Amino acid sequence: MKNALLLLLLSVSLSSFSQNSKFSLELNYPLPIDNNFIGENYTGIIDLGGKYRIISKDIMNFGFSFNTSLLTFDNSKINTPQNYKIYAYPIQPKIFFEFKIKWL
């Protein structure tokens, strides 16, 4: 099942050219790192995102993006009387600018 999903994602990514399109999708693996409760306790499962370019000019692109992740915390690793799982869904809306440098 995992190989079929990987093959499907690979074929879709090869057939689509998001640099020429206004809309692009992202699929990532989240790595929560930091000295806070998320970085120390949670592990990442999946991160999904999408970008939409509103304005495309010769100098730059302007648009917005939206990312969401699925993080999990399993307290069975800690010696407590109750075992439970916690799921966190961080949501990250963003505005972005992409500069087009012709000499690159």
Side-chain angles (χ1 to χ4, degrees), residues 10-52:
L10 183 64
S11 65
V12 168
S13 67
L14 289 176
S15 66
S16 67
F17 297 100
S18 64
Q19 291 180 354
N20 298 331
S21 172
K22 286 190 168 199
F23 184 72
S24 64
L25 293 173
E26 299 174 351
L27 178 66
N28 302 308
Y29 179 76
L31 295 173
I33 53 172
D34 206 352
N35 282 338
N36 56 22
F37 71 96
I38 292 178
E40 294 174 357
N41 298 320
Y42 285 82
T43 56
I45 295 177
I46 192 167
D47 181 65
L48 299 171
K51 284 185 177 181
Y52 185 73

Side-chain angles (χ1 to χ4, degrees), residues 52-63:
Y52 185 73
R53 291 177 188 89
I54 298 171
I55 300 171
S56 292
K57 297 291 183 182
D58 293 336
I59 299 171
M60 69 174 210
N61 295 333
F62 169 74

Side-chain angles (χ1 to χ4, degrees), residues 23-28 47-53 63-69 89-96:
F23 184 72
S24 64
L25 293 173
E26 299 174 351
L27 178 66
N28 302 308
D47 181 65
L48 299 171
K51 284 185 177 181
Y52 185 73
R53 291 177 188 89
F64 64 90
S65 68
F66 181 81
N67 275 28
T68 185
S69 299
Y89 305 98
I91 298 172
Q92 302 170 345
K94 303 174 195 170
I95 297 174
F96 69 90

